[in-house]
Amino acid sequence: MNTPASKRPLEVACPQCGKKVVWCEQSVYRPFCSKRCRLLDLGAWADESHRIAGESAMDETDIDALLARADRDGDPQ
């Protein structure tokens, strides 16, 4: 007997190893298949192997220089 697709639980691929994971409350590490895969992914973020594309954030010295320049430009001479 086939179960309709709408009744079957959603299955996703583990982002770390690709193993199929059923998306349900019993899958405590979802979307990962295991604690190991979850920790490997966290480690990759921590050592910056994974990153979100975009412009680099300004550091404190850049912000201070920008504020100093804005103060200079705003003063009447």
Side-chain angles (χ1 to χ4, degrees):
M1 176 172 15
N2 289 336
T3 306
S6 62
K7 297 288 184 181
R8 282 188 293 184
L10 176 65
E11 283 190 356
V12 297
C14 173
Q16 189 65 36
C17 71
K19 180 180 173 183
K20 292 290 183 187
V21 179
V22 177
W23 194 274
C24 66
E25 289 182 26
Q26 288 77 25
S27 301
V28 294
Y29 301 112
R30 68 184 180 269
F32 302 99
C33 65
S34 65
K35 185 175 184 177
R36 178 183 179 276
C37 280
R38 183 178 72 173
L39 290 174
L40 287 170
D41 186 75
L42 178 61
W45 283 102
D47 75 3
E48 297 182 355
S49 297
H50 290 326
R51 32 179 103 186
I52 298 173
E55 291 184 30
S56 298
M58 295 175 86
D59 67 7
E60 224 172 284
T61 56
D62 293 337
I63 293 171
D64 291 340
L66 184 63
L67 290 173
R69 192 175 21 205
D71 287 343
R72 262 195 327 260
D73 293 345
D75 288 339
Q77 295 185 20

